[in-house]
Amino acid sequence: MTSARILPCLVLNGIIVWSSADALAQSQLPTFTDITQQAGIQFRHNCGDNKMDNIVEGTGSGVMLFDYDGDGWLDIYLPNGRWHADFSDNRGRSLRGKLFNKLYRNKHDGTFDDVTDKAGVAGKNYASGVAAADIDGDGDLDLHVLCYGPDELYRNNGNGTFTDISAESGLADPRWGLQAVWFDYEGDGDFDVYVVNYLEYDKGAFRAFYAPTGYPGPLSYHGQPDALYLNDGHGRFTDISEKAGVLNLEGRGMGATMADLDNDGRLDIYVANDAMANDYFRNTGSGTYQEEALLRGAAFGEAGQGVSSMGPTFGDVDRDGRLDLYIPDMDYGCLLMNRGDDFVDRTTPTGLAIVCGQYIGWGGILFDYDNDGFLDIFVANGDAHKEFPDEAVLCRNDGKGNFIDIARSSGEYFHQEYLSRGATWGDIDNDGDVDILVANINDGPRLLRNDGGNRNHWLTVELKLPNGKTDALGARVTLTTGGLKQIDDLIPVRGFLSQGDPRLSFGLGKSTEADELEVRWVNGRTTRLTKVPANQFLRLTQPVD
C-alpha cells in the first residue's frame, strides 16, 4: 500500500510552495543512512506464523541498545516471535524451533557480530519487549525479556555469557508481559522493576468482530494487571503492586516509562493503556503511588477519547524545566505538555497532528537529532491489523513551539514503507550524534546512522553508582548553556517495548562548553560542574552517602 505524505504548504499565485522539508533541506540538516546490511545484522523478525492474523502477532516486538560487555560501545538485542499453539496457524508449524532472539556485539568499526549462541540468550518464549539493568550490583547489565508466557531473566556472568535465572527470581510471570522499567523503588541501592502486562488472549475463541478489520481489537479481551516487584537484594522479587497502589486489574498496558514529572525529586510512573484511560501514578514519597491521570489531563487523547496508546516517552520539549510526554497512537498521537499541576495536549498547535494523523504510530522517540538543544520526534509506523506498511515520521523542533516534517529530506529510509513497531535511540558509533534502531514485523530491523548531527557541539553524560559501573537509574541532569536549560532523567526504558542508550545526550548548538552541569542523584546528593567542555563523553559517579 502506498501512502502520500502530507506537508504544510503555502499557495502563492497558484504555485505550491512547501514550507517545511524543502526549505529546511538547504540548511545542512543531518540525514540518516540505513547501515543494517553493512553492519552485519542478518536477523529477520517473524510473528511465529506465515501471516499476521491476531492481536498477539500484531503487537510485534521492541528493540534494545545496551552495553552488555561494558566496553563503552552499544550492543543490540532483538526479540523474536515463536510458533505458539495459542495463536499460530497450523500451516506455520514448520517454524517451530527455528525462531530465536538475537544478540549482536558492537565491534567498534561499524559492524556487529552475532554472539547469541555464545551468550546463551536466544530465549525460549514468544518475546515482545526487552530491558536491561544491573539487578545484582556487580557492574554488568542483566537481561529481562518480556514474553507471551513466562518472562525470562538472564544474569550476566561478566564473561560474555548469561545464566537463565527466571524461575528462581520470581519474575517468570505467566501473563503476557510487554515492557519492564527498572528503578530503585525504596532507595536501598537495589533495582526493582515495574512490569507491564497486556491482556488475556482467548486462543481465538472470540469471533464476533467486523471481518475486514482482520482480527478483534483489545476490548474483546480482559486486561491484565501490571506488577511492581521488590528486589530483596539476593535475586528474588516479590509482587507489591497492591501495597504500593499501582494495581489496575483491568489495565491493558502497552508500555510504561518513569520520570520525575512533578519535579519533587521522585520518579512517577506513566502507563500507556490500549483503548482505555492511561495511568499516571504519582510517587507520594511514602512508598505508595496515587493514580492522577484524569486529574492531571494525562488520561486521554486530545478530544477526550480513549485512544489506542502505544509506548510513552518523555523529554522537556519546550525547555521550561518540566518533562513532557509523547505517546504515539492510532490517531494523531498525543504530545502532552507539562504545565506543573497538569498537562495540556499540544498535538495540533505544534503541527504534529497533520503529520502523524496519516499513520498508525508505535515507537516514538524524543531526541535531539541535530544537537541544536531542542528535542525532535521520530515515530515508527505500521498498520495495526493488516500487513500494510507506512513511512516513518521525523519532525524537527524549531525551538518556537512548532514541529516541522523534515522526513523526506532526511535520507532514503524515509521514502520506504515498513510494518514497524518498537524503536529506540543511541550513539552506536560514539561520534556524538544519536542513531536509531527500528523493529519491523516479519522483516529485518533497520539501523539508521545519523550523518551530520555532530556538526553542532554536544555533550554526553554517563551517570554511575559509587561502584563506578552500574547506571545510576533515576538520577537527573540539568544542563545550562547560555539562556537554554535542558533536563533529562536517567531512565532508558522509553517508547514501545524498547530500551535506549543510558548515556544522556545533550545538544549544545554552537557553544563550545556548557556553563553549568548539575546532577541530582537518587540518594539526594548533588554534583555541580561549571564550564564543561563540549564534544566529550563525561562520566560522573554518585558520591557515597
Side-chain angles (χ1 to χ4, degrees):
M1 182 180 74
T2 302
S3 60
R5 183 183 298 277
I6 301 173
L7 296 172
C9 63
L10 300 174
V11 180
L12 300 177
N13 298 322
I15 300 175
I16 296 178
V17 181
W18 297 106
S19 59
S20 55
D22 287 345
L24 289 169
Q26 302 174 10
S27 61
Q28 293 297 305
L29 291 174
T31 59
F32 287 89
T33 302
D34 184 345
I35 61 168
T36 313
Q37 293 302 312
Q38 68 190 67
I41 299 172
Q42 301 299 319
F43 171 84
R44 184 178 177 89
H45 177 272
N46 190 287
C47 67
D49 209 339
N50 294 327
K51 181 183 179 183
M52 185 188 88
D53 58 9
N54 58 67
I55 198 167
V56 181
E57 296 171 350
T59 299
S61 70
V63 288
M64 182 167 68
L65 291 169
F66 75 131
D67 183 8
Y68 87 97
D69 54 359
D71 65 353
W73 295 74
L74 292 175
D75 310 298
I76 294 172
Y77 192 79
L78 302 167
N80 204 358
R82 303 290 192 280
W83 188 91
H84 197 294
D86 281 4
F87 50 82
S88 301
D89 191 279
N90 285 336
R91 288 170 292 184
R93 284 179 295 179
S94 61
L95 295 168
R96 287 184 296 183
K98 298 180 180 179
L99 302 177
F100 305 101
N101 309 334
K102 288 291 185 180
L103 173 63
Y104 285 92
R105 180 181 177 272
N106 194 327
K107 295 172 62 178
H108 314 173
D109 61 359
T111 65
F112 292 77
D113 266 345
D114 182 348
V115 295
T116 310
D117 292 339
K118 176 185 176 181
V121 291
K124 303 178 180 68
N125 300 312
Y126 192 101
S128 298
V130 61
D134 181 8
I135 67 170
D136 49 10
D138 64 354
D140 48 37
L141 289 172
D142 308 293
L143 181 64
H144 192 187
V145 184
L146 291 306
C147 303
Y148 181 94
D151 297 334
E152 299 168 1
L153 185 65
Y154 297 89
R155 184 184 65 232
N156 192 327
N157 299 319
N159 61 0
T161 67
F162 291 77
T163 299
D164 186 344
I165 60 170
S166 309
E168 58 263 40
S169 72
L171 292 182
D173 191 332
R175 294 174 292 190
W176 182 10
L178 289 188
Q179 194 159 36
V181 191
W182 288 84
F183 73 117
D184 189 352
Y185 160 75
E186 54 183 355
D188 63 352
D190 296 320
F191 290 139
D192 314 289
V193 63
Y194 184 92
V195 175
V196 177
N197 296 310
Y198 190 21
L199 49 78
E200 297 177 13
Y201 186 64
D202 64 358
K203 303 182 182 181
F206 180 80
R207 307 303 299 169
F209 66 98
Y210 183 55
T213 63
Y215 53 79
L219 295 181
S220 303
Y221 311 98
H222 288 294
Q224 292 180 327
D226 300 341
L228 175 58
Y229 292 94
L230 184 67
N231 187 344
D232 69 357
H234 303 286
R236 290 287 302 177
F237 294 83
T238 303
D239 187 341
I240 59 167
S241 309
E242 187 170 6
K243 174 185 175 183
V246 296
L247 188 64
N248 181 351
L249 293 175
E250 277 293 321
R252 295 178 179 84
M254 289 289 278
T257 191
M258 294 184 186
D260 180 7
L261 295 171
D262 54 3
N263 285 348
D264 64 356
R266 300 185 290 265
L267 291 174
D268 309 298
I269 304 171
Y270 189 81
V271 183
N273 292 310
D274 199 358
M276 58 183 289
N278 297 330
D279 295 317
Y280 177 115
F281 294 110
R282 180 180 62 83
N283 191 329
T284 67
S286 60
T288 62
Y289 295 83
Q290 183 70 38
E291 206 292 301
E292 297 181 354
L294 189 60
L295 176 68
R296 292 176 177 266
F300 297 105
E302 186 173 32
Q305 74 275 25
V307 297
S308 298
S309 298
M310 307 303 184
T313 187
F314 66 83
D316 185 5
V317 171
D318 53 0
R319 298 307 188 198
D320 66 349
R322 294 184 287 258
L323 292 172
D324 311 299
L325 293 164
Y326 181 72
I327 311 105
D329 59 41
M330 292 180 67
D331 293 306
Y332 306 100
C334 291
L335 178 63
L336 301 179
M337 303 300 292
N338 191 340
R339 300 306 188 213
D341 294 329
D342 59 7
F343 290 80
V344 176
D345 193 314
R346 297 284 296 170
T347 313
T348 297
T350 57
L352 285 174
I354 194 170
V355 179
C356 297
Q358 307 169 68
Y359 311 112
I360 294 176
W362 295 83
I365 302 172
L366 283 172
F367 71 135
D368 186 0
Y369 93 109
D370 55 356
N371 281 324
D372 68 348
F374 291 92
L375 295 177
D376 313 296
I377 290 181
F378 172 90
V379 186
N381 302 306
D383 195 271
H385 290 250
K386 300 284 189 178
E387 294 189 41
F388 296 157
D390 275 330
E391 301 154 316
V393 164
L394 181 63
C395 287
R396 181 174 181 265
N397 187 337
D398 69 356
K400 301 175 183 178
N402 306 303
F403 282 96
I404 302 170
D405 186 344
I406 46 82
R408 68 176 184 171
S409 62
S410 298
E412 180 61 26
Y413 170 81
F414 293 96
H415 294 257
Q416 308 301 318
E417 297 179 336
Y418 300 92
L419 188 65
S420 298
R421 291 300 187 257
T424 198
W425 78 100
D427 187 353
I428 61 161
D429 46 10
N430 287 344
D431 67 348
D433 50 31
V434 181
D435 312 294
I436 297 173
L437 178 64
V438 184
N440 299 305
I441 290 183
N442 293 340
D443 194 0
R446 293 298 184 272
L447 182 59
L448 307 176
R449 186 186 64 212
N450 186 330
D451 293 327
N454 54 11
R455 293 190 189 106
N456 280 325
H457 296 297
W458 53 274
L459 179 65
T460 299
V461 183
E462 302 179 62
L463 304 178
K464 301 295 181 179
L465 292 181
N467 66 9
K469 297 180 179 179
T470 303
D471 293 327
L473 299 179
R476 167 170 289 191
V477 170
T478 301
L479 192 75
T480 304
T481 309
L484 185 67
K485 180 177 289 188
Q486 305 179 52
I487 65 171
D488 203 3
D489 289 352
L490 204 176
I491 294 291
V493 175
R494 312 181 197 182
F496 187 65
L497 315 187
S498 299
Q499 177 167 320
D501 197 337
R503 304 170 298 183
L504 302 181
S505 298
F506 299 92
L508 303 185
K510 302 305 178 184
S511 299
T512 57
E513 66 179 19
D515 298 331
E516 181 178 84
L517 184 153
E518 177 183 290
V519 181
R520 186 190 68 197
W521 304 97
V522 175
N523 66 355
R525 301 287 296 274
T526 300
T527 297
R528 288 188 180 87
L529 303 175
T530 58
K531 298 187 179 302
V532 182
N535 305 332
Q536 65 164 316
F537 289 85
L538 176 65
R539 175 174 290 196
L540 300 174
T541 301
Q542 175 180 302
V544 179
D545 288 330

